Structure formats: structure tokens, C-alpha cells
């Protein structure tokens, strides 16, 4: 016996089992039991109790806790009692052919013993729940009144946890269902009040003398995005906080802790279904190939590393200039895929000699180039660094791909390269044109390259390092305010999974023999999202109210920023591909020889730190480049 409670439970069950046999006989015989020898009945009762206790212990009946008695415990009791009956009464039949006991007694005893064992357990549980629910008026006043969205297993589990926890932060006033079916029914005494569409009407029904809900808590794991958008809308209109409960696997073992309410997954803010692409084709592209990923420590590079590792490459070489970023993803890959042949390479894509040695040593067949400086204001202040990394770094990697006869190079670009107003966007556009030129050069009669160059362009990635979501989350943790540059600023957003699947899918399309050279693959990302709306939703998901609990401050456009991004230039006529959600564009490019001379001049100016000369050369190379403050380039360059 491990604990006092287990000893008490064992003693209780032995006593109940001992008593159950005489009581079963009394129920069968009534007053006729007086014709039997009472001492003998109780002697066999003790024998029955001893056998029961031994079998109960063997069956693990004391591993549960009475306070949490459930249907599973009742099933365990039923199995144990059935085994006791099947063992005891055949033995007694062999000893005395059960001449001292009516034949129906075993069946009656089966029911009696189950009631004697299960009844006290469930009564104890109800007493505990009643004690916690009515324990303290002060605690009750501190609880946050809420409506629970969901009327299935997860909601029932959450409600059960609330009932068991005297320190729960929430008082559930009722339930909301996605469908009409459960409306009017009850779970643990709480009524399903209506559907999601009826939430405004339900809130109005809470009169002044009743507690009004302050939160909406989502207790449905597979809730669809349309329902999430409605909940966010109602939450904002009715000044309600909103959050979700963890999945069942996330519940803490210590039931005394508050059940945490987490924000709804940030992916639900997209307002569109996430694209699911052709994974078998991605698998066939990567499987058995030697893969090199630059910028592997970043958000996109790390996710690329995960998905590529899953596709069983012959080897995976991950390269990054950040030692910590590289260490983190290498450790993750090592733990998930211990048998994968991999190499973690600390290197800068700006160092031509180092990159050449990497290609010589690793002999990659496919290269994903994700290394870049991407933070717009930082690159705006350091245009020389932007040129050396985004332009020269891309050229070095691309040249190595061509010189070492790599089968495929995939350049990861950005929607900021379209009509750029920032140095970052302009440098990524130059990187695009260089890879396009190399790809077109492949088709020329004089070309000696065997490499395909594929460019992939997409918008902002939700939750990536340096993006707006982590910024909002840090500001929220400090109590606000959330800073938004302009109330009308809009951006395209996608999840990191979508971004990486696009990269892999575009690589599949680009390797098709009939694929045209010099094209750019673009993801259809639905409608752009207003950053102010995103800030409101982040606050609501934290269970707080915008402009009341958390302020929103407008800071004005930063250098290089524009109000809205574009994924296609006006001159880029998009074409549909065989995969839904992926477009093919034909941006302007230039001859490789001309581009090489222009980039040489730009890189030379960057090495000398001549920022005005850099801006002037960028303007000549990317005529559509306009800075965000609409200052003429002639003024900047002068």
C-alpha cells in the first residue's frame, strides 16, 4: 500500500464485499434467511471479502482517485466484480455444490457489490464538487463570467475541470453551439443557449440582475474559420474577450492549477483556408537528393529544413551566418531524424570563397536560397549591407549553382520586390532579375549551365522573426500600447507552412521540362489584411478589450514602408498553373552581361559605404523604385 488513501479505499472495499454476500442473500430470501445458520453466512461473507480484496488489488482498482471518479472507474469496478463472481461461486460449487445458497444469489450479489463500490466513490466526488462550487463567496465574485463555445467532449472535459477546481478563474454561464442540434440540451447542468449566430441576442437576454458574460471561450478544436471570424466580430462589437481552451493533451496533471485559456491559433486570422499542395510531388523532388539550404536558421529556412528532412533526402546541408539559429534547427533535425546525413555550416553567403568550398564539399543537387536581410527599416538605414547580402550574396550562391552544375536553385523572394519603396524590396527585385537572367541564359545556344533557377514570391509570414505578430505579442505582454504605423496599412499574410509548401511546389513546377524560363511563381494570398484589424484581434484573443484594456498607438510610416503591398507588377500578366493558388508571372528582366556590370558597380559602392551612390544605382536598375516618402531620387542622389 502506497498511501493512506489507498489503504482506506482497500479497507472500504473489503468491508463492502464482505457485507454484499449476506445482503444479496437477504434480498433473495427476505425473512427466510433466519432459517439459515447466520454464522456460516457471515463466514462465507468474510471469505468472499478476502478473495474480492485480493482480486481488486490485482486489477489495479486503487490507482484511481475517488475525487475524479468517472465512467472509466465504473467499468473497472464492473470488470473486477465480474471476475470475483466468476472465481468465488464456482469454487463454492465445487466445495458444497452451493447447497447453502440460492442459485440466483450470484447475480444479485453482482449488482449489489457494484453499487456498494461505485456508489460511495461517486457520492464522494459530488460532495467535493459541491464543496468547491459553494466554498467561498469571495472567490465566486472574482470569477470571470463566460460563455463556452462548443457542446461536445472537449467542452464537457473543460466544464468538469472547472467544477473540480476551487480556484478556477472562470464561471461558465452557458454554452454556445455551432449547430442547432444541441441547443436546449444541458451539460453538467449548464444549458446550450443557442448557436454562434445568436450570440448578440443571447447576450441581451442576460438582464441587469444577472451576471453578464465577459468572455467567449472556444472549446472546439476543429472550429471552422468562418465561425472564428464571426466570434471575433461579435467579441469586438459586444466588448467581450475571446480565447480557447487547450486541446485535451495539453491539460495539466495538477488539477489544482487554473485551466489555461490560450489565444485562438493566429492562423485563424487569415480569413481564408490554408492551401494544401501536392505533397507526393514534393517528396519525389527531394527524396534521395543532396539538398543545401541557406538562411536555415531563419523562420522560412528552418521550416524548409523540417519539411525537406521529412522527404528523405540523401543529405541535408543547412547553412547560416547565425551560430545560434543554426544550432537550434540542427538540434531539432537531429532529434527528429537521427539517421539523416546532415551538415551544419556556419557561413556568410557574402563570402565567395567560403561558399565555393561549401559547394565543393557538399556537392548539392538542389539549393534553396533563403538567406537575406528582410527588416525594412534596418536595411533602409544600412543600404550597403542590404546590397552585399541580398544582391551580392544571391549572385554568389547562384554563380556557384551554375559553376558546380547544381540541378535546381530556388530563390525565395518577397512581395516587397513589386514596385518597391524600400531598399530591401529593391535589392530583392535585383536578386530576382539576376536569377531570371541566369535561367533564360540556360536556353541560349552558347550556354554551358545545366541549372534551373526558380524564383518564388510571397507576402508576410505570420509569426516570423521580426514580423508584426511577435511585436504585438511582446507589446501586449508589457501591457501595451500596440503600435500601428498607419490605420490604413494593409499586408498580405500567409502561414509558414504555406510559404514553405509554395517554395517546394514551385520547385516541382520549375523542374518540369515544359516550364518556361525566367518566370516568377506567386502565391494567391486572398485579400490583404488591415494591420489595425490584426491588432484588434490580437487583443481580443488575449481576452482583453481594444482601446480600453490595451491602447493602440499610431506611429506613422517608417522609412521604406508603404501602405499596401502588391504581389504583381502592372506589367506582369499572371497565368494560372496546374496547382490551385499558384500563379506564374513574367517580370521584366535584362541581359546577364548588363546585369553583371550593374551589380558590380553597386557592390563596389556598398564596399566603400557610399550610400547615396547605392541609392542612385538602385534607381537606375529598378526604375519603379520609389522611396516611401515620395522624395525624388534625384534629391537623394545629389
Amino acid at each position: 500500500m502506497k498511501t493512506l488513501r489507498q489503504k482506506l479505499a482497500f479497507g472500504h472495499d473489503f468491508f463492502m464485499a464482505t457485507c454484499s454476500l449476506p445482503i444479496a442473500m437477504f434480498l433473495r430470501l427476505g425473512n427466510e434467511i433466519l432459517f439459515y445458520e447466520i454464522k456460516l453466512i457471515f463466514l462465507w461473507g468474510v471469505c468472499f471479502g478476502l478473495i474480492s480484496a485480493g482480486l481488486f488489488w490485482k486489477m489495479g482498482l486503487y490507482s484511481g482517485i475517488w475525487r475524479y471518479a468517472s465512467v472509466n472507474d465504473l467499468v473497472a469496478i464492473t470488470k473486477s466484480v465480474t471476475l470475483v463472481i466468476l472465481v468465488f461461486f464456482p469454487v463454492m460449487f465445487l466445495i458444497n455444490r452451493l447447497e447453502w445458497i440460492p442459485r440466483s444469489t450470484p447475480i444479485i450479489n453482482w449488482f449489489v457489490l457494484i453499487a456498494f463500490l461505485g456508489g460511495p466513490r461517486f457520492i464522494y466526488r459530488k460532495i467535493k464538487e459541491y464543496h468547491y462550487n459553494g466554498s467561498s463567496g469571495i472567490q465566486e465574485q472574482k470569477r470571470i463570467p463566460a460563455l463556452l463555445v462548443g457542446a461536445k467532449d472537449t467542452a464537457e472535459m473543460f466544464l468538469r475541470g472547472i467544477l473540480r477546481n476551487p480556484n478556477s478563474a472562470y464561471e461558465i454561464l452557458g454554452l454556445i453551439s455551432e449547430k442547432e442540434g444541441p441547443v436546449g440540451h444541458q451539460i453538467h447542468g449548464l444549458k446550450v443557449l443557442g448557436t454562434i449566430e445568436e450570440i448578440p441576442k443571447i447576450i441581451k437576454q442576460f438582464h441587469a440582475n444577472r451576471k453578464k458574460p465577459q468572455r467567449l471561450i472556444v472549446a472546439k478544436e476543429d472550429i471552422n474559420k468562418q465561425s472564428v471570424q464571426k466570434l471575433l466580430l461579435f467579441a469586438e462589437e459586444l466588448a467581450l474577450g475571446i480565447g480557447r481552451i487547450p486541446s485535451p493533451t495539453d491539460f495539466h496533471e495538477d488539477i489544482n492549477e487554473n485551466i489555461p485559456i490560450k489565444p485562438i491559433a493566429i492562423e485563424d486570422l487569415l480569413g481564408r483556408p490554408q492551401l494544401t499542395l501536392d505533397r507526393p510531388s514534393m517528396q519525389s523532388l527531394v527524396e534521395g537528393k543532396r539538398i543545401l539550404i541557406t538562411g536555415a536558421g531563419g523562420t522560412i529556412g528552418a521550416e524548409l529544413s523540417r519539411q525537406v528532412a521529412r522527404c528523405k533526402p540523401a543529405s541535408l546541408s543547412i547553412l547560416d551566418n547565425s551560430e545560434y539559429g543554426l544550432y537550434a534547427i540542427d538540434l531539432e533535425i537531429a532529434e527528429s531524424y537521427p539517421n539523416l546525413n546532415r551538415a551544419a555550416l556556419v557561413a556568410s553567403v557574402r563570402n565567395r570563397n567560403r561558399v565555393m568550398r561549401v559547394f565543393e564539399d557538399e556537392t548539392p543537387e538542389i539549393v534553396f536560397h533563403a538567406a537575406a536581410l528582410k527588416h525594412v527599416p534596418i536595411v533602409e538605414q544600412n543600404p550597403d549591407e542590404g546590397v552585399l547580402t541580398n544582391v551580392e550574396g544571391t549572385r554568389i550562391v547562384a554563380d556557384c549553382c551554375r559553376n558546380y552544375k547544381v540541378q535546381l536553385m530556388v530563390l525565395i523572394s518577397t512581395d516587397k520586390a513589386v514596385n518597391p519603396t524600400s531598399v530591401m524590396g529593391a535589392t530583392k527585385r535585383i536578386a530576382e532579375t539576376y536569377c531570371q537572367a541566369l535561367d533564360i541564359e540556360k536556353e541560349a545556344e552558347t550556354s554551358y549551365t545545366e541549372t534551373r533557377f526558380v524564383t518564388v514570391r510571397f507576402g508576410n509570414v505570420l509569426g516570423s522573426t521580426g514580423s508584426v505578430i511577435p511585436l504585438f505579442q511582446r507589446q501586449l505582454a508589457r501591457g501595451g500600447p500596440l503600435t500601428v504605423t498607419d490605420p490604413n496599412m494593409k499586408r498580405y499574410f500567409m502561414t509558414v507552412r504555406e510559404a514553405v509548401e509554395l517554395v517546394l511546389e514551385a520547385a516541382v513546377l520549375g523542374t518540369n521540362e515544359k516550364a518556361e524560363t525566367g518566370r516568377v511563381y506567386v502565391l494567391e494570398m486572398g485579400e490583404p489584411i488591415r494591420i489595425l484589424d490584426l491588432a484588434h484581434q490580437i487583443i481580443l484573443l488575449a481576452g482583453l478589450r481594444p482601446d480600453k484594456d490595451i491602447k493602440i498607438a499610431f506611429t506613422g510610416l517608417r522609412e521604406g514602408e508603404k501602405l499596401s503591398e502588391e504581389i504583381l507588377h502592372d506589367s506582369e500578366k499572371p497565368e494560372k498553373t496546374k496547382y490551385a493558388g499558384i500563379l506564374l508571372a513574367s517580370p521584366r528582366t535584362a541581359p546577364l552581361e548588363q546585369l553583371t556590370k550593374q551589380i558590380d558597380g553597386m557592390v563596389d559602392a556598398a564596399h566603400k559605404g557610399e550610400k547615396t551612390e547605392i541609392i542612385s544605382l538602385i534607381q537606375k536598375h529598378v526604375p519603379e523604385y520609389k522611396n516611401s516618402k515620395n522624395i525624388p531620387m534625384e534629391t537623394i542622389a545629389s
Side-chain angles (χ1 to χ4, degrees), residues 213-407:
Q214 297 176 16
R215 301 280 171 88
L216 295 174
I217 300 174
V218 179
K220 193 173 187 295
E221 290 186 85
D222 58 346
I223 188 167
N224 63 58
K225 290 182 173 58
Q226 290 75 19
S227 295
V228 171
Q229 293 296 324
K230 287 178 185 176
L231 288 170
L232 288 168
L233 177 64
F234 292 148
E236 187 161 15
E237 289 178 351
L238 302 169
L240 300 171
I242 185 169
R244 69 170 179 86
I245 69 169
S247 65
T249 55
D250 290 339
F251 278 114
H252 293 283
E253 292 181 6
D254 185 356
I255 203 68
N256 289 320
E257 294 186 45
N258 284 326
I259 297 174
I261 302 299
K262 298 183 176 181
I264 291 173
I266 204 70
E267 289 83 358
D268 292 329
L269 303 178
L270 284 175
R272 60 171 174 82
Q274 294 185 62
L275 296 173
T276 300
L277 305 180
D278 186 0
R279 290 188 178 90
S281 294
M282 301 175 196
Q283 176 87 18
S284 62
L285 172 76
V286 170
E287 189 171 3
K289 300 288 181 61
R290 298 183 300 276
I291 311 296
L292 170 65
I293 299 173
T294 72
T299 304
I300 296 295
E303 181 64 18
L304 255 174
S305 301
R306 295 183 194 102
Q307 293 203 25
V308 165
R310 195 177 301 130
C311 293
K312 301 178 182 178
S315 66
L316 175 59
S317 305
I318 51 176
L319 181 150
D320 203 284
N321 198 35
S322 165
E323 181 190 20
Y324 177 75
L326 187 65
Y327 161 77
I329 186 59
D330 181 57
L331 179 63
E332 183 180 337
I333 297 296
E335 292 173 344
S336 301
Y337 307 95
N339 298 322
L340 176 61
N341 181 19
R342 70 185 200 287
L345 308 165
V346 178
S348 169
V349 294
R350 294 156 47 156
N351 186 333
R352 184 176 291 271
N353 289 334
R354 171 63 172 141
V355 174
M356 288 173 62
R357 289 199 303 273
V358 167
F359 274 75
E360 287 175 2
D361 295 340
E362 304 302 319
T363 61
E365 296 171 272
I366 299 176
V367 173
F368 295 97
H369 182 48
L373 295 181
K374 66 174 186 176
H375 197 269
V376 171
I378 297 295
V379 178
E380 206 67 22
Q381 296 169 24
N382 302 275
D384 46 351
E385 295 298 311
V387 167
L388 292 174
T389 298
N390 295 352
V391 178
E392 178 65 354
T394 299
R395 182 167 69 161
I396 289 171
V397 172
D399 287 348
C400 284
C401 287
R402 180 179 61 175
N403 297 337
Y404 289 92
K405 297 183 176 5
V406 171
Q407 294 176 12

Side-chain angles (χ1 to χ4, degrees), residues 20 24 27 81 85 104-118:
S20 68
L27 292 174
V81 170
I85 297 296
S104 59
T105 302
I107 298 174
I108 298 172
N109 198 19
W110 185 83
F111 285 103
V112 169
L113 186 51
I114 288 175
F116 278 14
L117 299 182

Side-chain angles (χ1 to χ4, degrees), residues 376-517:
V376 171
I378 297 295
V379 178
E380 206 67 22
Q381 296 169 24
N382 302 275
D384 46 351
E385 295 298 311
V387 167
L388 292 174
T389 298
N390 295 352
V391 178
E392 178 65 354
T394 299
R395 182 167 69 161
I396 289 171
V397 172
D399 287 348
C400 284
C401 287
R402 180 179 61 175
N403 297 337
Y404 289 92
K405 297 183 176 5
V406 171
Q407 294 176 12
L408 173 69
M409 172 181 164
V410 181
L411 169 67
I412 297 172
S413 189
T414 170
D415 57 357
K416 292 175 176 61
V418 181
N419 294 323
T421 59
S422 65
V423 173
M424 193 281 277
T427 55
K428 292 298 285 184
R429 178 69 192 109
I430 296 168
E432 284 185 359
T433 59
Y434 189 76
C435 289
Q436 286 176 265
L438 284 174
D439 200 38
I440 294 170
E441 183 80 5
K442 179 182 184 295
E443 297 298 302
E445 293 182 4
T446 57
S447 174
Y448 60 89
T449 181
E450 300 174 2
T451 308
R452 278 304 315 267
F453 293 88
V454 172
T455 298
V456 188
R457 185 190 292 167
F458 47 77
N460 295 271
V461 175
L462 282 169
S464 63
T465 53
S467 67
V468 69
I469 298 296
L471 172 64
F472 282 166
Q473 290 171 334
R474 286 196 302 273
Q475 292 173 336
L476 193 63
R478 294 197 302 264
L482 270 57
T483 56
V484 177
T485 52
D486 190 282
N488 296 315
M489 177 173 279
K490 294 181 179 179
R491 290 291 182 267
Y492 289 101
F493 282 101
M494 61 191 305
T495 66
V496 66
R497 178 186 67 76
E498 284 181 309
V500 168
E501 287 190 342
L502 169 65
V503 171
L504 294 172
E505 195 66 275
V508 172
L509 291 170
T511 53
N512 190 310
E513 291 182 1
K514 297 180 180 179
E516 294 186 45
T517 57

